[in-house]
Amino acid sequence: EPHMLFNTLATLRALIGVDPARAQVMLDHLVSFMRATLTASRADHIPLAGEFALLDDYLSLMAIRMGERLSYRLELPPELAACRIPPMLLQPLVENAIRHGLEPLPEGGRLAVSAERGEQGLRIIIADTGTGFAVPPAPSADTADAAGSGFGLNAVRARLRAAYGDRATLAVASPWPPDALSGCRITLDLPI
């Protein structure tokens, strides 16, 4: 997304004068993120470890931009690191969590991305303590542009259908946990 790049470059510009060491770290993460996105755009599938490395670079950039307002955790068990998924499948979901869930809150919040073995194979969970939202229905051909369905969610659902047919699911729960007033949890179940 261009807004992420422009915001990152603006933050870099501001940091260069006041904190050159932090600007260098941010630039390193940006270069790594850009290199990984270019590589991923040329592949049909990448190892889950590669997708998590991309998320780490992205979230490191966001953590520098948001400061103390963002904390995050990535959990990838070693036995799942080689599982192959479509590239950049998780990044739009994580970006949505930051942009729509955490950035609007003055206090920010937490984000966790984890992978585990699920009933159908691979389960990936993205959970945040952000603003939450009204959960949209899963779009059909008739409701793909329904209010609240979101471009990012629709794009990920379309990619899942293209890659796995009906063998993959994306579920949204908000608020999360269920007894909370906000927060969101997205669960992807993919065949291995």
Side-chain angles (χ1 to χ4, degrees), residues 48-49 52 74-83 113-117 122-124:
L48 192 54
F52 268 63
L74 300 172
E75 296 177 5
L76 176 59
E79 65 272 14
L80 298 177
C83 292
V113 182
S114 61
E116 60 189 45
R117 285 226 178 256
L122 176 64
R123 173 168 281 174
I124 301 169

Side-chain angles (χ1 to χ4, degrees), residues 94-152:
V94 170
E95 185 173 346
N96 275 352
I98 298 285
R99 185 174 180 199
H100 301 295
L102 300 174
E103 270 187 331
L105 296 175
E107 70 278 10
R110 294 181 313 279
L111 176 82
V113 182
S114 61
E116 60 189 45
R117 285 226 178 256
E119 290 177 20
Q120 299 176 6
L122 176 64
R123 173 168 281 174
I124 301 169
I125 299 168
I126 301 165
D128 69 73
T129 61
T131 60
F133 61 93
V135 176
S140 66
D142 300 332
T143 64
D145 294 325
S149 60
F151 176 78

Side-chain angles (χ1 to χ4, degrees), residues 19-118:
D19 192 345
R22 198 164 162 216
Q24 179 66 46
V25 169
M26 187 174 204
L27 186 57
D28 290 344
H29 284 293
L30 180 60
V31 168
S32 181
F33 178 77
M34 298 299 285
R35 184 176 290 124
T37 57
L38 230 105
T39 301
S41 71
R42 297 177 180 143
D44 290 334
H45 288 81
I46 64 169
L48 192 54
E51 185 81 356
F52 268 63
L54 181 91
L55 291 179
D56 191 37
D57 281 324
Y58 174 77
L59 289 167
S60 293
L61 290 169
M62 295 302 104
I64 291 170
R65 274 191 41 220
M66 293 177 66
E68 298 293 318
R69 296 178 53 232
L70 174 63
S71 66
Y72 70 92
R73 185 180 76 246
L74 300 172
E75 296 177 5
L76 176 59
E79 65 272 14
L80 298 177
C83 292
R84 298 184 68 76
I85 66 169
M88 306 266 315
L89 183 68
L90 306 179
Q91 197 274 340
L93 300 173
V94 170
E95 185 173 346
N96 275 352
I98 298 285
R99 185 174 180 199
H100 301 295
L102 300 174
E103 270 187 331
L105 296 175
E107 70 278 10
R110 294 181 313 279
L111 176 82
V113 182
S114 61
E116 60 189 45
R117 285 226 178 256

